[in-house]
Amino acid sequence: MRSTPCAALLALAALLAACSQASRHETPAIDLPATWKTLPAANAAPEGWISADQAARPLAADWWRGWQDPVLSALMEQAAAHNQTVAAAAASVRQAQALLEQQQAALWPTLGLQGSQQRSGGDARAAGGSGSLNLSASWAPDLWGRAASAASAQAAAVQASQADLAAARLAAQASLAQSYFTLREADAELALLDDIIEGYERSAAIAQRRFESGTVARTDALQAQNTLESARASRAALERNRHLAENAIAALTGQPAAAFSLPPARSLHDWQRALPAIPVDMPATLLLRRPDVAAAERAVAAANARIGVARAAWFPTLNLNASAGGSGATLADVISAPQLLWSLGLNLAQTLFDAGARSAAEKQAIAAHEQAAAAYRQRALTAMKEVQDQLATLQTLARQQRYAAASAENAAAIEQQMLNRYRAGLVAYTEVVTAQASALTARRSLMQLQLQRQQAAIALIQALGGGWQTPQQAPQ
């Protein structure tokens, strides 16, 4: 071929390589409310969360430091370094990035070099040699944007995997914080039951002495002993719950459960600290702060790019190749030869009949895009539901805790009064048992409500994205 037509063809291929059959990606539209329905006025905000317009700064990525618990912070650092679920998600990101590099490499020409040197001889002929050296190049110009669309789809998949990594990290952090506060609440309840059991032991001893002296019936002694054994059984159940929470923390921090232990806190009231302030984003902002929502949006972008890949299959493909080389007695002769052999060529191919395969592939890509868009909308709706759930939970738990505190205080007073009246011989021991059971239930319920508030605050932070923000800009 002449060089002028080849140069013109190369220039035309370069221009056409900018074409793309994919439509411009647009984030699926969602009807969003202006605010949350349970977001009260500024002066009525419950403890533990504030509205976004009042927040001095957005939610921090190290949100757990708001509890000012050094043990929790140390566990978070261990989880960041050794959690295997997060490590697997990080490896998935690296795989996606490697696949993107492969897709991008398809846009460039490939070069090849082949050289050989042979020497032969025999008894009846003189020894001789031959050498060859060939340089080849080939390029399939991306005339209709097929390779570029595939690379765009994989780039969106990389961003989705990065968001999945952030979601895995946030889930591990939230699970660790939940398990940690569950363990601390168990410690507090165990300390409470230790005090209760000590008091029950004294009551059982009193009832036994009064029975032996003939003052009361044997029923009183049996009831006192039954109350004591019931409290001991509750303590054993709490020990099991603590072990389970401790084992969960071990797994989340990448440690064997058999080799991990966490001693009780020095102060059993540390876990009951007031909730940290949590700035609550508006619904529209939430979509940029949730990694799972961002991953779903990137899946829509990838599906849109794959439509371009399917549409590009309707157009012809062009392959360009070139080679140069020569042969001689040795490789040195080949390199120094005044003339080398060269060739240029092209191959143009177009599918004329495929029984509807390309049409079906395009329909499948369009349907996949619609599916991804619907999944994104559902993920966004679920995210807003989760935030709304936790806002309502925190609001009601704050009221519940106030009522439960008053109930526990009253139940403790009744218990003491009944015990004093029993010692004075004014009431039967049945009334003491009833008062003790009510007081214990009220005090444990108060602790469990405090745990629920801590866990709801963590769930709200997770629902808000844990301080994560989408790194990518709007697609161009």
Side-chain angles (χ1 to χ4, degrees):
M1 292 180 60
R2 294 182 179 179
S3 60
T4 301
C6 286
L9 185 59
L10 288 171
L12 177 61
L15 290 174
L16 290 176
C19 298
S20 175
Q21 303 307 310
S23 58
R24 180 182 176 87
H25 167 66
E26 294 183 358
T27 302
I30 303 175
D31 293 331
L32 298 175
T35 186
W36 306 103
K37 64 181 180 181
T38 55
L39 195 64
N43 57 1
E47 177 190 0
W49 57 280
I50 56 178
S51 60
D53 56 351
Q54 297 174 284
R57 60 184 177 87
L59 185 63
D62 54 348
W63 48 266
W64 57 88
R65 298 190 186 279
W67 275 271
Q68 301 178 0
D69 190 320
V71 177
L72 177 59
S73 297
L75 290 172
M76 287 294 183
E77 292 177 1
Q78 295 178 30
H82 304 295
N83 184 274
Q84 296 307 300
T85 301
V86 176
S92 179
V93 172
R94 294 194 293 273
Q95 292 182 50
Q97 290 172 335
L99 288 174
L100 174 60
E101 293 173 2
Q102 294 180 30
Q103 295 284 359
Q104 292 173 334
L107 297 170
W108 294 87
T110 58
L111 299 176
L113 179 64
Q114 182 181 7
S116 66
Q117 176 67 60
Q118 295 180 348
R119 188 148 185 92
S120 61
D123 296 337
R125 59 180 181 176
S130 64
S132 65
L133 185 66
N134 291 285
L135 179 66
S136 62
S138 62
W139 182 38
D142 191 22
L143 299 182
W144 317 109
R146 182 189 183 107
S149 295
S152 296
Q154 187 57 35
V158 169
Q159 294 172 334
S161 65
Q162 291 170 339
D164 289 337
L165 171 60
R169 185 181 294 113
L170 177 59
Q173 292 168 349
S175 296
L176 177 57
Q178 300 272 14
S179 298
Y180 177 77
F181 284 116
T182 298
L183 183 143
R184 289 306 183 212
E185 192 274 340
D187 285 341
E189 279 202 64
L190 285 170
L192 169 65
L193 279 174
D194 286 340
D195 293 339
I196 293 295
I197 289 172
E198 184 179 351
Y200 286 178
E201 289 173 344
R202 291 194 299 268
S203 298
I206 294 173
Q208 182 64 27
R209 286 195 300 268
R210 297 188 70 179
F211 162 67
E212 292 173 353
S213 64
T215 307
V216 298
R218 189 168 183 269
T219 306
D220 288 7
L222 293 176
Q223 286 179 331
Q225 190 63 32
N226 181 67
T227 303
L228 174 61
E229 297 303 332
S230 178
R232 287 171 175 170
S234 297
R235 193 188 190 286
L238 273 175
E239 288 179 346
R240 182 182 69 88
N241 293 340
R242 190 189 192 282
H243 286 312
L244 294 178
E246 192 174 59
N247 295 341
I249 293 173
L252 289 166
T253 55
Q255 303 178 63
F260 178 81
S261 63
L262 196 63
R266 295 180 180 178
S267 174
L268 294 177
H269 298 288
D270 287 349
W271 71 279
Q272 294 177 318
R273 288 189 179 94
L275 303 182
I278 305 173
V280 181
D281 292 320
M282 293 299 102
T285 308
L286 176 67
L287 302 185
L288 301 176
R289 300 287 178 87
R290 287 269 301 223
D292 56 340
V293 175
E297 189 276 336
R298 290 290 84 196
V300 177
N304 181 71
R306 293 188 186 102
I307 295 176
V309 175
R311 288 174 176 169
W314 289 96
F315 299 93
T317 59
L318 176 67
N319 289 283
L320 303 176
N321 58 77
S323 64
S327 60
T330 63
L331 287 177
D333 295 337
V334 175
I335 296 174
S336 61
Q339 293 183 346
L340 298 176
L341 299 177
W342 60 271
S343 67
L344 293 173
L346 63 85
N347 178 30
L348 187 66
Q350 170 65 50
T351 301
L352 298 180
F353 177 74
D354 61 1
R358 287 171 296 175
S359 177
E362 183 177 355
K363 292 177 181 178
Q364 186 273 335
I366 293 173
H369 179 266
E370 294 172 350
Q371 180 186 25
Y376 166 74
R377 292 190 183 95
Q378 185 58 48
R379 182 67 263 174
L381 292 173
T382 302
M384 289 185 284
K385 169 193 172 296
E386 291 171 354
V387 173
Q388 191 66 68
D389 286 347
Q390 299 311 319
L391 289 175
T393 299
L394 279 172
Q395 200 173 53
T396 55
L397 283 176
R399 294 199 302 269
Q400 279 184 268
Q401 190 175 17
R402 289 196 298 269
Y403 302 146
S407 175
E409 184 177 353
N410 294 334
I414 293 172
E415 177 189 15
Q416 188 60 47
Q417 290 177 7
M418 288 299 174
L419 189 58
N420 293 338
R421 295 179 68 183
Y422 173 75
R423 289 171 179 171
L426 300 177
V427 296
Y429 197 79
T430 305
E431 297 187 41
V432 176
V433 171
T434 302
Q436 287 176 334
S438 298
L440 178 59
T441 300
R443 294 172 71 180
R444 293 186 66 184
S445 297
L446 181 60
M447 289 185 175
Q448 291 165 5
L449 281 171
Q450 177 63 26
L451 173 62
Q452 292 176 33
R453 288 191 67 197
Q454 299 284 14
Q455 292 181 333
I458 295 168
L460 175 59
I461 290 172
Q462 185 178 10
L464 292 170
W468 182 85
Q469 296 185 33
T470 177
Q472 65 264 12
Q473 300 295 324
Q476 300 299 319

